[in-house]
Amino acid sequence: MMKTNKITQAIGALALVGIAMPAVATDQPGWYLGAGGGPARATIAKDEIIADLANSGFETSVFRFDDREFGYKIFAGYKFNQHFALEGGYFNLGEFNYTATTVPAGTKTGELDFRGWNLDLIGMYPLTERSSLFARIGAHNSKSTVDFVGTGAVNVFTPHYQKTSTHYKVGAGYQYQVNDSVALRFEVERYRMDDAVGNRGDIDLYSVNVLFRFGATSHAPAKQVPVVEEPATAAPAPAPVVVDQVRYCSELDIEFEIAKNDIQRVNREHMLVLATFLDKYPETRAVIEGHTDNVGNDADNLRLSQERAQSVVNYLTSEHDIDGDRLTAVGYGETRPVADNDTDAGKQANRRINAIIGCATDIEGLEPIPARITLAMELEFPTNGSTIDPKYHDQLGDVAEYLEAHPDLTVTLEGHTDNASPEMAQKISRERAQSVADYLVKHFTVDRSRLNVEGFGATRRNTYNVTASDRQDNRRVNIILGYPNK
């Protein structure tokens, strides 16, 4: 019992330390510490023990054994990347015993203690951004201690044996990343062992482990800043230098939802500025670059990024009459991230479009139509619920006041939900949008004809529904203010 309490305290201490430390990027190389424990089960060489007693003239009438114990381990490792790590540590798998009752009358009791050090290579297969399967193979250097006690007719001439040996070990399990610093592991391991008296067997350990990762630094690629080429200053001349050409490179800040390539209302406003520039400078060309996060395989991400870039090209040609010959769509897949793919915010930032515009002369006179105001206030809901939380009353009041001040505006209420069945998700999401519309009409007398209600089910998730917080983020209503065409 004392051993169990100690390892439980160690796991708890590691978890508390992990929560207190700042988060780091989990895809970076780095060191980690861990501890864990659980039931261990040994192979007792029953047949060999009975045979040894028979060779000494004893018949075994009853054979009892205890092949289960509590084992624990403490370990440290180095993670090279998201697929491989090297790990070593100390383990104690406990004490196992047996008692053989003999004829002539007597007993023989044996007790095995097994502990040692191990070094393993670990291979990991990510399932989501937080979870992965893993397998390990390695070696352990262990000490086996066996004590014998005889009673009655059974005499034990050598009561104590001890042996140190090296054998292999294997294991497999599941790991879940609680946050950037702390992870939980559930695994099973098999240790090959020598029991110090010539018998070999296996001990299996089923454990729950806490890992604390430290010492890594997140290095998200720096975002490129548009560069303006300064004109060279001529040798001493009183007259000002004429600007011959200025390079204008623009990043079009359009982020996409998971696995989607369609353009949201809030991003159409951003593209209006790009279209204005292209209209003013008809000699310019633009390369529209599509990018994705790292979820999914390379081929699918490359295809999706190309589709995203092409959707922007299609929108510019169809909605703003930009000549398609001036636009080139290029997909880069997941190869050019600008943020950490191990966080939801990082993945969202990497699902983006960049617009790189060629050289243009005289941009000083450019006055693009500014991006118009778009309200994207998000209201969260309980699971399968559509009731408006009173805490949103004042915010919805601000929306109503804004609508009253701008009578030419209309509003689209977009309802969303997390992972329900398609039919249920569509129903719940529309009910949520409708409840917001009803609230605005009932409490603030907004004209219902100005409110459009749409339900999108679970098709436009902000996150991957991994945690309760992720699912809460997806249960929402977005309020989009629409402007009349001018």
Side-chain angles (χ1 to χ4, degrees), residues 268-269 272 369-374 483-486:
R268 295 173 187 173
E269 303 296 339
L272 182 60
I369 300 174
R372 293 171 289 190
I373 297 173
T374 301
Y483 285 73
N485 294 327
K486 295 181 180 179

Side-chain angles (χ1 to χ4, degrees), residues 101-113:
T101 303
T102 66
V103 178
T107 63
K108 183 178 181 180
T109 300
E111 185 175 84
L112 167 69
D113 180 271

Side-chain angles (χ1 to χ4, degrees), residues 7-272:
I7 192 63
T8 303
Q9 292 168 6
I11 293 174
L14 276 173
L16 290 174
V17 171
I19 293 171
M21 291 295 290
V24 295
T26 56
D27 65 337
Q28 298 295 323
W31 293 95
Y32 60 89
L33 294 174
R41 183 170 183 174
T43 301
I44 302 295
K46 176 181 177 181
D47 294 338
E48 289 81 356
I49 295 169
I50 292 175
D52 287 342
L53 286 169
N55 290 335
S56 301
F58 294 94
E59 178 184 350
T60 302
S61 59
V62 179
F63 189 92
R64 295 187 177 90
F65 61 89
D66 181 3
D67 63 350
R68 303 193 181 195
E69 247 284 24
F70 180 87
Y72 68 91
K73 60 179 183 173
I74 301 172
F75 53 90
Y78 185 82
K79 186 175 182 180
F80 298 101
N81 51 49
Q82 64 177 336
H83 295 296
F84 294 102
L86 188 66
E87 188 174 291
Y90 172 79
F91 61 88
N92 186 329
L93 301 189
E95 298 175 349
F96 309 90
N97 59 76
Y98 72 88
T99 299
T101 303
T102 66
V103 178
T107 63
K108 183 178 181 180
T109 300
E111 185 175 84
L112 167 69
D113 180 271
F114 188 72
R115 65 188 68 193
W117 300 87
N118 68 281
L119 182 65
D120 299 341
L121 177 65
I122 299 179
M124 291 161 283
Y125 179 77
L127 299 175
T128 68
E129 77 271 17
R130 291 180 181 268
S131 63
S132 61
L133 299 176
F134 67 90
R136 65 169 72 234
I137 185 170
H140 65 88
N141 183 263
S142 55
K143 179 188 292 185
S144 301
T145 303
V146 178
D147 293 302
F148 295 109
V149 176
T151 66
V154 179
N155 293 315
V156 174
F157 298 103
T158 308
H160 182 78
Y161 292 85
Q162 186 170 293
K163 183 176 182 179
T164 299
S165 58
T166 300
H167 288 290
Y168 69 86
K169 67 182 293 284
V170 294
Y174 171 83
Q175 180 168 312
Y176 181 78
Q177 198 73 36
V178 178
N179 56 44
D180 286 345
S181 296
V182 178
L184 288 177
R185 258 190 206 168
F186 308 89
E187 64 177 314
V188 57
E189 297 167 275
R190 169 158 291 183
Y191 295 75
R192 188 65 171 171
M193 64 95 176
D194 189 325
D195 68 1
V197 290
N199 300 315
R200 291 190 177 184
D202 300 310
I203 300 181
D204 296 330
L205 175 65
Y206 304 85
S207 62
V208 178
N209 304 272
V210 174
L211 282 72
F212 166 59
R213 190 167 184 271
F214 63 97
T217 304
S218 177
H219 294 291
K223 208 170 189 178
Q224 292 187 351
V225 178
V227 176
V228 177
E229 297 177 0
E230 297 291 343
T233 304
V241 177
V242 177
V243 178
D244 179 41
Q245 195 174 66
V246 178
R247 184 171 185 80
Y248 179 82
C249 298
S250 169
E251 179 170 341
L252 183 60
D253 186 16
I254 295 180
E255 297 178 356
F256 287 82
E257 296 185 11
I258 298 168
K260 294 291 183 181
N261 58 23
D262 56 321
I263 299 167
Q264 304 295 304
R265 287 184 177 85
V266 293
N267 290 320
R268 295 173 187 173
E269 303 296 339
H270 297 290
M271 279 199 285
L272 182 60

